Amino acid sequence: QVQVVESGGGLVQAGGSLRLSCTASGLTFDHYAIGWFRQAPGKERQGVSCIKWSGGSAYYADSVKGRFTISRDNAKKTLYLQMNSLKPEDTAMYYCAASSAWRVGIFDPTSFPYWGQGTQVTVSS
């Protein structure tokens, strides 16, 4: 059984930083892409960043380029999202998701079958 777990959310002032973590069990990492999505109240789920565990370039939404960095620790099988220069509009529930069918550059939530429960990020102005 696949289980995805996020952590690291919280409340931070605008301009601050947070680092989210994501671990997954029950899947072969090399066969998957792991990504971050976010959803604010009343809005659609939005892709933030994604990377293939086996390697290759990371992909970022335009709204976070230059501020967010996705990385992975192979030994710990953990994915990170370093979020710097946070803005109030970054406030959302952040989800980690896994897909074996991710097309690079395409953020389609329906192609990600495995999801975590989410971690709340709140940025105050």
Side-chain angles (χ1 to χ4, degrees):
Q1 183 177 356
V2 177
Q3 187 175 16
V4 180
V5 179
E6 311 94 335
S7 62
L11 173 64
V12 65
Q13 288 188 332
S17 298
L18 282 173
R19 188 178 77 160
L20 305 183
S21 300
C22 171
T23 61
S25 59
L27 53 80
T28 303
F29 278 76
D30 284 350
H31 298 167
Y32 283 81
I34 313 291
W36 290 98
F37 291 77
R38 66 186 182 186
Q39 189 166 19
K43 295 189 176 181
E44 292 186 352
R45 192 163 293 191
Q46 173 193 28
V48 175
S49 183
C50 193
I51 190 168
K52 287 188 176 181
W53 196 265
S54 59
S57 299
Y59 180 78
Y60 297 93
D62 289 342
S63 58
V64 305
K65 282 180 181 176
R67 300 188 298 122
F68 291 11
T69 303
I70 194 170
S71 63
R72 61 191 186 278
D73 184 322
N74 289 334
K76 295 182 178 179
K77 292 188 177 179
T78 300
L79 183 79
Y80 301 102
L81 184 68
Q82 179 66 44
M83 305 186 295
N84 298 329
S85 302
L86 282 162
K87 304 175 182 180
E89 51 263 44
D90 293 318
T91 295
M93 185 72 79
Y94 282 70
Y95 298 90
C96 182
S99 171
S100 62
W102 177 57
R103 290 189 293 162
V104 176
I106 305 296
F107 271 127
D108 177 8
T110 64
S111 68
F112 286 76
Y114 305 113
W115 292 82
Q117 79 289 350
T119 186
Q120 178 68 38
V121 172
T122 302
V123 184
S124 63
S125 56

